[in-house]
Amino acid sequence: MNTATEVVVPRMQALQKLEKTLKKLDLSWKVIETTARVVSPPESAGYIATLEHTRLAFSRLATEMVEQIARSHLENCLHDLAARAQVAIDILVRNLFERTADVGFIATDGPLLQYAQAPQEGAQEALRSRLAAYRAKYTVYDDILVLDSAARVLLALQPHAAADKPAPGWWYQAQAAAGYVECFGPSNHYPGPADVLLYAHRIVTPGGAACGAVVLKFDLASELASIFAALADGHTVLLMLDAQKRVVACSNPELFAPRQSLQWPVGAAQAVPTLRHGGVDYLFAHCSTRGYQGYQGPGWTTAALVRLDQAFAARADSHDGQAPGSAPNRDNGIELDNPQLRQIVARARGIEEDLNRVIWNGKLTDSNTRSGSALRPLFSEVGRTSQQTIAVFDDAIGELKSLLLQGRRAELAAHATLAVDIMDRNLYERANDCRWWALSEELADVLRTLDAGSDEAATAQAGAILAHLNSLYTVYRRVALFDRQGRILAVSRDAHSLASDAHIPAELLRRTLALTDAQAYAVSDMLPHALADGAASYLYCAPIRQAGSDRTLGGIALAFNCQDELQAMLKDALPGGPGVQGFLINPAGVVLSSTDAGTAVGSCPDFVNALLSSPDAGAGARLCQWNGATYLAGVAPSKGYREFKISDGYRDDVRSVLLSPVDRSPAAGATYSLPGARADVRAGSRHYGVVQCGRMLFGLASAQVVEAVAATQMATAPVHSTAAGMLEFTLSGVRSILPVYDACLLSGQAPVADPRSAVAIIVRCGGQHLGLLVERLIDVIACDSIALPPGGINPDAPWINGYIHDGRPDNAPVFTLDPDGLLYLTEAAVPA
């Protein structure tokens, strides 16, 4: 399976149908071309050559178009798999990063340190309750161990056998190292078939000797189940893999069992990445973590897979997020910056123009010469087949645009979900921190001392404790201790820059002191505060009570560094692409964070209200306007994490918005109903080739037209010439260089915007020849007579000599041109 066509086309009926249709049309053009060769005289050889060239160009592009559509389906599928895999591993690694800080902090907990140094039988229940209180706040752990210096269990939340167990392999590393130890695999303390993920940190006496360790058992099964539930679907399977590429866990364990080794492709990268497992071929994406603050996790990766026989069936009828089977929503009038698409559109339009020239030239030839009449029966077939060809091309281009847009929509929606999910998971930890730190007996003792009066030693001790906390958890601008009146008594850093009368906001203080449950906490709105040096910040607060009493002494406040941390979350979540910006906004539409330097926190950009007030203001992707430009917006609401924002009583309905710039599609060319266009041609009728020049339609008598040709090879005109350019043309076997004049400019309008994409009409002009540059060819009409232009012939424009209009309001008027009236412009013309 080397190409997208080999993989995708056999699995998609729509692409099979397109491929058959294109082959059928190619065969029709061959039949027309062969017939023309049989019935056409030698004079029509140029017409047949153009027809052959057009057919070959069409055939080549048709093959490439099928390949490009197949490749777009494949890339959408692979991007979707990669996005799921990347989010899965990055979300997990961010979560595990918090665990490395947690275990280092709890290893310094005073009561646990005292017990590890000198275990006392009567203290076990109180300490077990303390550990249970910790786990109740940090619900990502399902067990906590306190081990002595021989790795024996002193305390645990889960029942453990009393028999001594050999020291685990990581034990000696933990005892020797100053930091955390991360271990995944079988454990002596948790016998059974399942591997466990542990975080350990030694407990050190005041003298610096290791006297044991704290071990946090991460609830990996629960965490991965939540990640899989959010990212897997009925077709996608997610695998978490260890450093040896063995399965850690799978969203469908019946397909991939834990510890199973898979035969991953090796060697050169596959054009289409597939994995064969259990007799089934899977399309897959495999991602490593991007890391978080230098932490790379336990060396794991994630793979997202989908069965190859299902990978495209689910996407075949889905367009722009619509349900399968619904009508496709095509390109919505926007353009994505895709070089392949631009090239295909340009070539398709070139073929369309070639077809138009074939038909236009053929009709004029047929109307002008007796010998050309032999081709007349073919013109209806040429016209019908060309319309079918153009319609199929347009439909395929629309399909391709839709696929590219669909992929971009899905990417933006997924990354918007990632941004707000990262925020929820991060702030979950902040709610945990404030509640657990509020249980610190050391802080309670210091606060009781300060409550009795000013004490420099107590203030310094409080500052040292808070500084230690802040060094472990760097996401806070400051950690502060406050009394019952809300006065800030000590901070973790930069106390000199804080006003001496700094207070906790009155409403936040009232709510904090009113809390009676150790599981409760209070959070401010994201507003400017002194603890964050005047920047907008969430303050997380919990009351501190006197040990063994319900008496509240004050509390602890954590000033989250919103300015840096929220922006870092947004930047980590942004997809690739130029000009993409990310925003976090509150329900009132106020910006909480932005990656756009010109959008300040606290502002309300004009796109926000439009997005929030739309009927589909939930998750997804849609168009919006901002600063006069058009953007595709991915939007996702906060859904909370575990109990945070779900069952803990706290609500903060933040939304993430990601904006990706797009361009509006150019307006389609106007269609015209022409006067005198009819099937019957009366004797004496004259034929006119109708062309468009700006807002006007002009008619050229068939007898005066040699041929319409592409202006792509037009060269620059001589200096001081009034011509738009020079064009090489062969007349009766003689090569001539003809001047080409811009018909738009001659008629008092703006010049042709892109002369080389226009059409040059080679016309006879008083025994000479010249080119007339027009924007596009319209059709050939027959009429019995022409009238003078309204207002008569303009002496400044003698080349406009007539007017065709049948009086019907739905028909566009056509001004006829007399090339002989252009003689005075032909100073560079070469005689025929």
Side-chain angles (χ1 to χ4, degrees):
M1 297 180 186
N2 297 319
T3 69
T5 302
E6 292 172 326
V7 173
V8 181
V9 173
R11 293 170 174 83
M12 291 190 67
Q13 291 184 359
L15 270 181
Q16 293 173 24
K17 182 178 178 180
L18 173 62
E19 199 173 42
K20 290 178 181 177
T21 301
L22 290 170
K23 289 179 179 178
K24 183 178 178 181
L25 286 169
D26 186 47
L27 180 59
S28 296
W29 281 111
K30 288 180 180 177
V31 171
I32 292 172
E33 182 185 319
T34 301
T35 305
R37 289 183 185 279
V38 172
V39 303
S40 174
E43 296 93 294
S44 299
Y47 166 72
I48 295 172
T50 304
L51 187 65
E52 180 182 23
H53 171 78
T54 301
R55 181 190 64 77
L56 291 174
F58 155 70
S59 182
R60 287 191 294 267
L61 183 60
T63 301
E64 293 178 27
M65 189 172 289
V66 171
E67 169 68 19
Q68 187 62 44
I69 292 175
R71 188 182 303 121
S72 295
H73 275 289
L74 177 63
E75 289 175 353
N76 276 3
C77 185
L78 290 175
H79 286 164
D80 176 65
L81 293 174
R84 294 172 192 264
Q86 192 68 66
V87 169
I89 188 62
D90 284 347
I91 284 291
L92 179 66
V93 166
R94 278 176 168 269
N95 191 319
L96 299 185
F97 172 78
E98 299 284 349
R99 314 296 57 98
T100 65
D102 287 351
V103 72
F105 172 65
I106 197 171
T108 63
D109 186 63
L112 294 183
L113 174 57
Q114 294 173 15
Y115 183 78
Q117 291 181 90
Q120 296 180 2
E121 190 67 30
Q124 284 187 344
E125 286 307 312
L127 287 173
R128 190 172 287 110
S129 296
R130 184 171 180 79
L131 293 181
Y134 183 86
R135 187 180 65 173
K137 296 166 179 59
Y138 296 86
T139 55
V140 294
Y141 302 115
D142 57 10
D143 196 17
I144 303 174
L145 303 179
V146 179
L147 308 180
D148 67 9
S149 58
R152 292 172 298 207
V153 177
L154 295 177
L155 284 172
L157 290 179
Q158 293 182 3
H160 284 259
D164 291 343
K165 300 178 178 67
W170 50 262
W171 173 255
Y172 304 102
Q173 180 185 355
Q175 291 296 284
Y180 71 90
V181 172
E182 184 177 55
C183 177
F184 176 72
S187 171
N188 296 334
H189 294 101
Y190 299 96
D195 293 329
V196 294
L197 181 59
L198 304 176
Y199 289 84
H201 197 290
R202 66 181 182 178
I203 300 174
V204 181
T205 67
C211 62
V214 171
V215 180
L216 304 178
K217 180 174 179 285
F218 184 66
D219 186 2
L220 183 63
S222 170
E223 180 63 18
L224 291 182
S226 71
I227 292 175
F228 291 159
L231 296 172
D233 58 21
H235 298 281
T236 307
V237 178
L238 284 173
L239 296 177
M240 194 65 64
L241 307 167
D242 66 14
Q244 286 72 45
K245 302 297 188 292
R246 296 173 302 194
V247 176
V248 173
C250 176
S251 61
N252 188 342
E254 294 181 359
L255 295 177
F256 299 88
R259 297 182 180 173
Q260 185 175 17
S261 294
L262 304 180
Q263 297 300 314
W264 293 96
V266 295
Q270 296 174 294
V272 181
T274 56
L275 169 73
R276 188 162 184 82
H277 175 74
V280 176
D281 288 319
Y282 291 87
L283 196 66
F284 76 91
H286 184 213
C287 296
S288 303
T289 181
R290 292 174 293 188
Y292 181 59
Q293 295 193 11
Y295 172 70
Q296 297 295 314
W300 295 354
T301 56
T302 304
L305 307 90
V306 62
R307 287 175 61 120
L308 200 54
D309 57 358
Q310 298 176 350
F312 308 104
R315 294 167 171 82
D317 298 318
S318 178
H319 297 268
D320 304 339
Q322 298 181 79
S326 61
N329 194 11
R330 292 308 181 199
D331 63 3
N332 288 306
I334 66 172
E335 296 286 336
L336 294 177
D337 185 18
N338 184 278
Q340 291 81 13
L341 176 61
R342 284 200 307 271
Q343 185 184 60
I344 282 179
V345 170
R347 291 175 62 189
R349 293 295 167 253
I351 291 173
E352 182 178 348
E353 291 164 4
D354 286 345
L355 288 173
N356 285 338
R357 284 197 303 275
V358 168
I359 296 169
W360 197 87
N361 286 328
K363 285 184 176 180
L364 280 183
T365 301
D366 177 68
S367 66
N368 203 40
T369 65
R370 177 179 299 276
S371 60
S373 63
L375 288 174
R376 184 172 300 167
L378 289 176
F379 286 142
S380 60
E381 186 64 22
V382 170
R384 185 181 66 82
T385 305
S386 67
Q387 288 176 358
Q388 290 179 333
T389 303
I390 292 168
V392 171
F393 269 28
D394 284 346
D395 192 60
I397 289 170
E399 170 73 5
L400 189 52
K401 286 184 178 182
S402 179
L403 284 169
L404 295 172
L405 181 60
Q406 181 184 357
R408 192 57 172 168
R409 284 180 185 274
E411 182 180 37
L412 283 172
H415 283 260
T417 300
L418 172 62
V420 78
D421 192 35
I422 289 174
M423 180 181 182
D424 283 343
R425 287 168 173 267
N426 194 300
L427 298 186
Y428 157 85
E429 305 288 349
R430 313 302 53 103
N432 297 343
D433 291 347
C434 75
R435 292 178 294 167
W436 175 247
W437 297 352
L439 299 181
S440 168
E441 294 184 359
E442 289 179 293
L443 289 177
D445 289 343
V446 169
L447 196 53
R448 186 174 59 252
T449 300
L450 293 175
D451 189 44
S454 178
D455 187 310
E456 291 186 7
T459 300
Q461 182 185 1
I465 295 171
L466 298 178
H468 175 64
L469 296 179
N470 212 160
S471 69
L472 291 172
Y473 298 83
T474 57
V475 296
Y476 301 114
R477 177 62 188 96
R478 284 189 181 90
V479 181
L481 203 63
F482 61 88
D483 63 15
R484 290 181 55 82
Q485 288 71 47
R487 293 178 301 174
I488 295 174
L489 305 177
V491 293
S492 59
R493 58 167 67 134
D494 300 332
H496 63 278
S497 62
L498 199 66
S500 58
D501 61 348
H503 279 67
I504 298 297
E507 174 57 21
L508 180 61
L509 176 66
R510 182 195 64 77
R511 289 192 288 118
T512 302
L513 297 181
L515 299 175
T516 58
D517 185 353
Q519 286 295 100
Y521 61 95
V523 189
S524 72
D525 291 333
M526 189 178 147
L527 296 170
H529 194 271
L531 285 176
D533 299 317
S537 173
Y538 287 113
L539 296 185
Y540 287 81
C541 296
I544 296 177
R545 297 180 177 86
Q546 185 170 321
S549 168
D550 290 336
R551 179 171 179 261
T552 300
L553 301 171
I556 189 169
L558 285 56
F560 185 62
N561 184 0
C562 292
Q563 181 173 318
D564 295 334
E565 297 299 324
L566 293 184
Q567 190 175 83
M569 296 176 201
L570 282 173
K571 288 182 177 178
D572 285 349
L574 289 183
V580 181
Q581 301 291 351
F583 308 84
L584 292 169
I585 58 176
N586 70 11
V590 175
V591 171
L592 305 179
S593 184
S594 166
T595 61
D596 176 53
T599 304
V601 172
S603 65
C604 187
D606 53 9
F607 70 83
V608 173
N609 288 333
L611 288 176
L612 296 185
S613 61
S614 65
D616 54 348
R622 60 194 67 91
L623 291 175
C624 70
Q625 299 293 315
W626 181 40
N627 292 338
T630 303
Y631 290 82
L632 192 61
V635 183
S638 167
K639 295 181 179 178
Y641 172 64
R642 292 185 177 262
E643 69 280 359
F644 180 66
K645 292 189 181 181
I646 296 175
S647 60
D648 65 354
Y650 175 54
R651 292 291 181 273
D652 188 27
D653 297 326
V654 174
R655 279 186 175 86
S656 62
V657 179
L658 305 187
L659 299 184
S660 179
V662 294
D663 294 324
R664 285 288 181 183
S665 297
T671 58
Y672 297 97
S673 177
L674 300 177
R678 61 178 187 270
D680 61 311
V681 180
R682 301 176 187 175
S685 294
R686 299 181 66 184
H687 289 77
Y688 291 88
V690 181
V691 298
Q692 179 188 349
C693 295
R695 302 180 307 277
M696 303 178 71
L697 296 182
F698 294 122
L700 291 157
S702 61
Q704 293 176 305
V705 175
V706 177
E707 186 180 356
V709 298
T712 52
Q713 302 302 318
M714 189 172 68
T716 304
V719 179
H720 305 307
S721 171
T722 58
M726 306 298 292
L727 188 65
E728 180 179 321
F729 189 76
T730 301
L731 292 163
S732 302
V734 178
R735 185 175 66 89
S736 302
I737 305 297
L738 305 180
V740 180
Y741 298 93
D742 189 333
C744 290
L745 198 59
L746 294 178
S747 57
Q749 303 179 85
V752 172
D754 183 5
R756 283 177 171 76
S757 67
V759 182
I761 312 295
I762 308 301
V763 296
R764 298 179 179 91
C765 178
Q768 299 176 347
H769 291 86
L770 58 82
L772 202 58
L773 198 66
V774 302
E775 289 185 324
R776 63 182 180 128
L777 307 174
I778 302 299
D779 202 353
V780 175
I781 63 174
C783 67
D784 301 327
S785 62
I786 62 173
L788 287 177
I793 296 177
N794 185 345
D796 294 327
W799 52 87
I800 299 178
N801 66 346
Y803 181 72
I804 304 174
H805 196 275
D806 54 14
R808 289 186 292 178
D810 56 334
N811 284 350
V814 177
F815 293 88
T816 60
L817 297 184
D818 177 14
D820 289 343
L822 300 175
L823 280 175
Y824 78 97
L825 295 173
T826 61
E827 75 282 0
V830 178

